[in-house]
Amino acid sequence: MKSTYINVAIPGTPRRLFTYGIPEEMYEEIEPGHRCLVPFGKRRVIGYYIGQAEHKPGIDIKQIMDFVERHSLFSRELHRFILWMADYYYANPADVFHAAIPPELRRIRKSTFYVINRSIDTPMDVSAKEKLASMMERNRIITGRSLKTLEKESPGITEKLVRSGILKESWAATPTRPIGIIRGYKIDDSLRADSETLKKLGNLKSGSGLVRRSDISAAGISSYRFNKLVKQGILTPVHGMPDIYDYLKARPGVESIDPNEEQGRAIERISGRLGSYAPFLLYGITGSGKTLVYCHIARKVIASGKSVLILVPEIALAGTLLSYFKGFFKDEIALLHSALRPQERVFIWQTTREGKYKIIIGARSAIFAPLERIGMIIVDEEHDESYKQDRPAPRFQARDAAVMRAKMAGIPVVMGSATPALESYYNARSGRYELLQLTRRPEKAAVPMVRLIDLKKERPPADNPFFTRTLISKIKEALSKNNQVILYLNRRGFSPRIKCLDCGHTPLCRYCNISLAYHKSGNKLMCHYCGFVTTGYDTCEKCKGEKFIYLGTGTQKIEENIGRTFTDARLLRLDSDTAGRRRKAHLILADFAARKSNLLLGTQMVTKGIDFPDVSIVGVLMADIGLDMPDFRAAEKLFAKLIQVAGRSGRGIIPGEVIIQTYKPDLELIDDAARQDYDSFYLREIESRRRLQYPPFSHLVNFRFSAKKEDVVRNGAAGFRERLEARLRPSGLKATLLGPAACPLFRQGGLFRRQLFVKTTQILRFTRLLDAWEQQEPGFGLPSKVKIAIDIDPYDMM
DNA sequence: AGCACGCCGACT
DNA sequence: GTCGGCGTGCTC
């Protein structure tokens, strides 16, 4: 048999290709991204076909075992996009392929064995033979698991049976037909069940005629009876879309809302570009009705016979958007949600490939949705940080990737935000994206009034450190009028640092303009970007104050204080603790919307786009917290949060008021936020980015090193920098290196961490240089104890 | 990511 | 003396 060679990428390994032999007749059938079962060390794993290979002398090349599926799982369009992503983000292509399919399909399904021949003439242990015979009598398929139990008494039996042609092993992971999700059971009452069971069933019948499995057992019908009823056809399973979001009601009458002039213009501009690549930035103030624009253009795309992919930061917080889309498109929507069960994921993924849905809505990994005919991509709240995936690999920015996917597919991409990412607004102003603006809130809803409270002048009482008297009285007033209140505390990512007690100033790095981290040992302040260290900081550089607060965490207390201060408050807390990693966030928000509570206290989750018409007060407890982050995006992130949270008030007919407590009322950023003036903020911030050559004027690359021992990472990272510089010099590539320095979270999971930032305008040339280097010197010549993670266009600076 | 190989502490 | 802890290295 003639054989040729192919390159295969393997998930979870270093970014390398492995060469395998493949029989000619299989090679003729191979497709881009085809999944192969290959021997890898002592295991067999799934690998992705990358291309033909040369014979590599000196390595014992193994043969591929089989295709996992008869065809590649990826369309040409998706395949090309995945390879682009692996290239741009310096990822292992197999990790990207893996990210693009449901987790269920990432594992080789436990081998099953088809019974080919029932006559066992293989010599073996008598009791094993009996057991096997009874298995084979009942089933045509024997699981690997039951064979394993046989192996215990009769080692090597599996191999013998396969070799003698009695069993055939199968690894197929993809079912050839969609797995239906059983939504419930239909009861047929033309019956042959005994009367008591029928009575129980009869009691279950509801208006819709669908009964859930759990209700059936709750009614006291045993699973034996249940199975019998199904067999008899009295209970018929009804398959369909998983319905975990059925509780989310379609907003009535959205279809008949007439777009205003601005919305109409946006709809017209976008629909004029259907069928070709056209990036749009839909910049609309909070409450200006971006969602209505999305729905109208989506309808036009659907009318042209194509489907729409919609990315949202988090499904659980996308209530408004979902209810609009449900109002427009009913059951043509597929929701890709983290709470889906594995089977449901596979089902949706497969039916999506078959072109069943017109609208796909999902978080960042939905960027890989296998839409059969993709007609447009919408990225809602495009500024949101959760579009960046840091872990696990592949690390990518889904909004940026969406632009690339749109470009490759030749379709429009619409990015919407009230506070566009600086990069996006820069692109819009420089003409790379078309800018569409919505400047008005509809009907009576007015832009909220914003009021700043200076925490230096109006000190909160000692027993209630987060509430000034003004805020307390405003909250009390709102609650007594039966209105609702949202309180926002940006307590995210506290790193140890100091703050002047008199003026609230936190010292910044003179080189990086980023807050310095406080290290108790040696009483020093340190920049985690460039490594700059200063000691003896005993007077505030701003006001000469001599007292500092040493900030850590400890904000749980607020909840207790609220109970004491506001006696008629019914409080809900929404943060990652109470929301339990996003699963329950939508329930908490639903409770608040249903007025089960009148006071919602939370972290950035409360800033997302949900409509609460009865909210009259939004309080920001300490607006400057976010600024103390060692992150060049700190200002942008804080500004966006303030605008977004302010936008939560005054959504209905009740006029809204926003109270921002801050140590820095004079800070231009805070002032801009109070005046809801994005443009002013943008112009200043973009200048600062230009001056420091931060994105969008350059690309950043973060190299993060970790190891068990501190000196091992230190030396490893320093050596890496030297070798990188040595390679950069002759290349003529312009790049600025910052660090390596300890990460703000300098110790995590028992590992010491350091990071090196590279700023460059030539990102593709830079990653190509890395690639060439790694080919030549695997692992970049780092000692094996030092782990390295490479993050292109990073968001996580910690 | 697994899986094996290898080099140090609690058992029969 | 061996079982097994997980640290480290390799997988075409």
Side-chain angles (χ1 to χ4, degrees), chain A residues 327-360:
Chain A
F328 266 77
F329 304 104
K330 317 273 173 322
D331 296 327
E332 295 180 302
I333 307 171
L335 278 185
L336 305 177
H337 186 266
S338 67
L340 291 175
R341 289 182 288 262
Q343 263 206 353
E344 295 173 330
R345 270 173 208 285
V346 176
F347 176 74
I348 294 181
W349 184 81
Q350 241 176 286
T351 43
T352 301
R353 287 180 82 208
E354 289 155 9
K356 184 171 166 191
Y357 310 110
K358 297 298 167 213
I359 308 267
I360 306 282

Side-chain angles (χ1 to χ4, degrees), chain A residues 686-703:
Chain A
I686 200 79
E687 263 327 298
S688 143
R689 297 278 181 95
R690 193 196 305 274
R691 209 170 46 246
L692 296 162
Q693 284 296 298
Y694 276 126
F697 300 100
S698 71
H699 286 272
L700 282 188
V701 178
N702 179 13
F703 295 91

Side-chain angles (χ1 to χ4, degrees), chain A residues 161-288:
Chain A
L161 290 169
V162 172
R163 202 171 295 166
S164 58
I166 292 171
L167 299 179
K168 185 184 185 316
E169 190 168 6
S170 157
W171 304 279
T174 315
T176 46
R177 259 183 248 159
I179 305 162
I181 301 307
I182 297 175
R183 295 186 56 169
Y185 293 84
K186 219 171 72 187
I187 302 173
D188 175 10
D189 11 36
S190 58
L191 1 114
R192 277 177 297 118
D194 63 85
S195 56
E196 202 186 317
T197 311
L198 276 180
K199 221 171 170 181
K200 285 176 185 165
L201 268 186
N203 294 338
L204 283 174
K205 287 189 84 172
S206 63
S208 72
L210 268 194
V211 185
R212 282 168 196 280
R213 176 71 181 88
S214 55
D215 296 332
I216 293 171
S217 37
I221 294 169
S222 68
S223 50
Y224 170 77
R225 275 262 138 68
F226 168 78
N227 286 330
K228 209 167 161 188
L229 290 167
V230 173
K231 231 174 231 169
Q232 290 172 327
I234 293 172
L235 287 176
T236 317
V238 176
H239 296 252
M241 264 288 287
D243 60 353
I244 54 162
Y245 271 83
D246 268 7
Y247 82 90
L248 227 166
K249 295 284 172 287
R251 182 171 294 220
V254 274
E255 270 185 298
S256 53
I257 302 174
D258 279 329
N260 66 26
E261 197 192 317
E262 286 177 331
Q263 290 168 323
R265 205 186 100 79
I267 294 162
E268 200 178 298
R269 291 297 305 168
I270 300 164
S271 45
R273 299 298 306 275
L274 298 190
S276 61
Y277 168 64
F280 292 95
L281 178 64
L282 180 61
Y283 163 38
I285 64 165
T286 55
S288 63

Side-chain angles (χ1 to χ4, degrees), chain A residues 605-630:
Chain A
M605 282 183 193
V606 303
T607 67
K608 309 268 167 123
I610 319 121
D611 269 356
F612 301 113
D614 294 343
V615 169
S616 66
I617 294 285
V618 166
V620 180
L621 297 182
M622 203 202 271
D624 6 348
I625 286 179
L627 274 184
D628 304 343
M629 302 278 289

Side-chain angles (χ1 to χ4, degrees), chain A residues 9-84:
Chain A
I10 299 190
T13 61
R15 191 176 172 277
R16 289 174 44 192
L17 299 178
F18 294 87
T19 305
Y20 286 89
I22 180 172
E24 280 284 335
E25 73 270 14
M26 278 178 82
Y27 184 71
E28 277 162 26
E29 286 172 26
I30 206 163
E31 298 170 353
H34 214 139
R35 308 207 307 162
C36 304
L37 192 73
V38 295
F40 192 64
K42 295 265 155 139
R43 298 175 293 155
R44 42 166 193 257
V45 299
I46 291 173
Y48 292 84
Y49 167 62
I50 295 295
Q52 204 173 6
E54 298 290 307
H55 173 61
K56 284 185 188 169
I59 308 172
D60 177 27
I61 300 230
K62 294 179 179 171
Q63 292 287 114
I64 81 159
M65 300 165 82
D66 206 348
F67 292 137
V68 180
E69 292 89 14
R70 286 168 50 244
H71 296 283
S72 170
L73 295 178
F74 308 96
S75 67
R76 296 277 160 155
E77 182 258 324
L78 194 50
H79 178 259
R80 207 157 76 90
F81 170 66
I82 288 169
L83 290 186
W84 166 80

